[in-house]
């Protein structure tokens, strides 16, 4: 029958509207259960790729580079990148940012921790709210995060710094360490391993002092000057922090100690290029911080997707960097540190 009577059309239309209303109600109910705070879904039912980087401090060239790498990765998988952080790298300076991000229902926080335990309560609340927590560069205690993206093994970093300084001073003499903050877990782990390496394999090299520049340029500059005044026989300085090594190089480059006191540590090519070219620094080491941030973003995505949970043996794809596996204690390793010197530094721009 091609045509219906008007009464039949009215019944049919009423049934259609009723079905549509029921469908809309079911859809609304389903959407309300998929909240952005879950860390896996947003209110539209899509993955919550709102990922915020929280470095130790803003305005630090190292973190500027690493976080740009993170932003590039997030753009690749159509997420939303943001960065917040304190002006100074104090132990509890990141707590208020973590609390705010939890309230904002971000999908993940990517954090370089100023202290391994001071952030514990805030991070515990974030995880309870469904926020994924990825640490990079500097870790917290394992229970406070899902994944730690490690730039290199602590053994590898400690060894390359000891190898560089002992080679430059002829494997004999007094050296000192200019570190970041006294509570930085990564710095302290490297220093402990350096001490062991020196004691075991370099008996003629004496570590006479460890000082802290608090990842502040002027403080690190002043600490370098103080080291050289306090220890007139100093032959070398290791600074396992990008702020510290650049500040120390700046001091040495215009002092009477240039060419007499060796300096190495962890720095970026753009920071250190002039000091390598003018002979203040022979060699230093680092990884690519942009790759570190890039990998951390993809680790956050994999956690949000449910591809990984942080369990040893989990694996995930990290864009141009390839596939990575989760190791013991929820750690993902970027790779070995790289040595920069006059022969190769011009090839790099970060």
């Amino acid at each position: 029958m091609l045509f219906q009577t008007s009464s039949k059309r009215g019944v049919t239309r009423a049934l259609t509207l009723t079905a549509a209303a029921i469908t809309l109600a079911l859809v609304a109910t389903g959407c309300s259960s998929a909240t952005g705070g879950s860390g896996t879904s947003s209110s539209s039912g899509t993955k919550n790729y709102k990922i915020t980087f929280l470095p130790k401090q803003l305005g630090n060239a190292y973190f500027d580079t690493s976080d740009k790498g993170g932003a590039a990765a997030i753009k690749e998988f159509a997420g939303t990148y943001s960065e917040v952080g304190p002006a100074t790298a104090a132990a509890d300076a990141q707590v208020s940012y973590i609390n705010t991000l939890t309230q904002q229902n971000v999908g993940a926080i990517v954090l370089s921790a100023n202290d391994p335990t001071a952030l514990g309560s805030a991070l515990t609340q974030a995880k309870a709210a469904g926020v994924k927590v990825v640490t990079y560069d500097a870790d917290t205690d394992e229970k406070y995060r899902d994944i730690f993206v490690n730039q290199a093994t602590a053994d590898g970093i400690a060894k390359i710094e000891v190898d560089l300084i002992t080679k430059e001073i002829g494997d004999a003499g007094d050296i000192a360490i200019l570190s970041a903050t006294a509570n930085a877990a990564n710095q302290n782990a490297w220093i402990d391993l350096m001490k062991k390496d020196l004691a075991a394999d370099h008996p003629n090299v004496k570590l006479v002092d460890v000082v802290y520049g608090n990842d502040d340029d002027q403080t690190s500059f002043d600490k370098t000057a103080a080291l050289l005044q306090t220890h007139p026989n100093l032959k070398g300085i290791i600074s396992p922090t990008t702020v510290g090594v650049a500040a120390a190089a700046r001091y040495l480059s215009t002092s009477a100690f240039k060419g007499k006191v060796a300096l190495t540590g962890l720095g970026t090519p753009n920071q250190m290029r002039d000091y390598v070219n003018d002979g203040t620094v022979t060699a230093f080491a680092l990884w690519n911080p942009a790759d570190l941030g890039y990998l951390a973003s993809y680790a956050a995505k994999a956690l949000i997707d449910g591809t990984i949970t942080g369990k040893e043996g989990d694996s995930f794809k990290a864009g141009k960097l390839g596939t990575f596996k989760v190791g013991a204690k929820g750690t993902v390793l970027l790779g070995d540190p790289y040595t920069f010197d006059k022969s190769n530094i011009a090839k790099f721009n970060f």
Side-chain angles (χ1 to χ4, degrees):
M1 194 173 178
L2 296 177
F3 301 102
Q4 297 176 325
T5 65
S6 61
S7 62
K8 286 183 179 180
R9 285 197 303 269
V11 171
T12 301
R13 184 170 182 273
L15 289 172
T16 301
L17 290 171
T18 300
I22 292 170
T23 300
L24 287 171
L26 289 172
V27 169
T29 302
C31 287
S32 68
S33 65
T35 64
S38 69
T40 57
S41 301
S42 71
S43 58
S44 63
T46 59
K47 298 294 183 182
N48 182 8
Y49 292 147
K50 289 169 60 180
I51 299 172
T52 299
F53 273 64
L54 177 52
K56 289 181 180 178
Q57 65 184 133
L58 297 181
N60 181 314
Y62 170 82
F63 290 115
D64 289 345
T65 302
S66 63
D67 294 5
K68 285 178 182 177
I74 291 168
K75 184 178 180 180
E76 288 177 1
F77 54 80
T80 302
Y81 165 84
S82 61
E83 181 195 52
V84 298
T88 57
D92 60 354
Q94 296 166 310
V95 170
S96 62
Y97 295 96
I98 295 167
N99 292 337
T100 298
L101 293 171
T102 302
Q103 294 166 4
Q104 292 174 344
N105 295 325
V106 298
I109 298 171
V110 181
L111 164 76
S112 179
N114 279 320
D115 187 281
T117 58
L119 311 176
S121 178
L123 290 174
T124 298
Q125 292 179 43
K127 289 179 67 179
V131 179
K132 304 303 181 184
V133 177
V134 176
T135 53
Y136 73 116
D137 177 70
D139 199 11
T140 63
D141 285 355
E142 181 185 351
K143 61 187 175 183
Y144 299 135
R145 47 74 173 168
D146 297 294
I147 287 287
F148 171 44
V149 178
N150 194 358
Q151 54 270 39
T153 65
D155 284 324
I157 293 169
K159 179 170 173 48
I160 197 167
E161 292 183 89
V162 168
D163 286 351
L164 287 172
I165 201 68
T166 53
K167 180 181 178 181
E168 290 177 31
I169 67 171
D171 208 17
D174 294 349
I175 66 169
I177 294 174
L178 170 63
S179 187
T181 61
N183 294 321
N186 57 345
Q187 300 277 318
N188 291 336
W190 301 336
I191 292 168
D192 286 344
L193 288 165
M194 282 188 245
K195 289 177 179 178
K196 292 176 181 177
D197 190 358
L198 289 167
D201 298 326
H202 306 278
N204 296 320
V205 177
K206 182 180 180 182
L207 178 61
V208 295
D209 209 347
V210 178
V211 298
Y212 302 93
N214 296 323
D215 262 347
D216 176 77
D217 176 74
Q218 189 59 49
T219 304
S220 299
F221 183 92
D222 294 342
K223 290 289 186 178
T224 304
L227 274 175
L228 293 164
Q229 292 169 5
T230 305
H231 306 284
N233 295 322
L234 202 64
K235 293 188 67 176
I237 299 172
I238 299 172
S239 187
T241 161
T242 58
V243 175
V245 75
R250 181 163 61 88
Y251 180 85
L252 289 173
S253 68
T254 58
S255 76
F257 300 98
K258 178 181 176 180
K260 298 178 181 178
V261 176
L263 172 67
T264 193
L266 302 179
T268 68
N270 288 354
Q271 284 179 305
M272 301 300 291
R273 184 173 286 105
D274 289 345
Y275 303 121
V276 169
N277 289 335
D278 73 7
T280 301
V281 174
T282 299
F284 65 95
L286 197 66
W287 45 92
N288 188 333
D291 284 350
L292 183 67
Y294 184 96
L295 178 57
S297 286
Y298 269 100
K301 177 183 184 296
L303 287 166
I304 293 167
D305 289 342
T307 306
I308 61 173
T309 63
K311 181 180 67 174
E312 184 174 0
D314 283 352
S315 65
F316 65 99
K317 292 182 178 179
K320 65 182 181 182
L321 297 181
T323 299
F324 287 78
K325 280 192 175 183
V326 179
K329 298 183 179 181
T331 296
V332 177
L333 179 63
L334 176 62
D336 294 327
Y338 184 86
T339 299
F340 301 90
D341 56 28
K342 192 174 285 189
S343 72
N344 60 29
I345 197 166
K347 301 175 184 178
F348 298 91
N349 183 27
F350 66 86

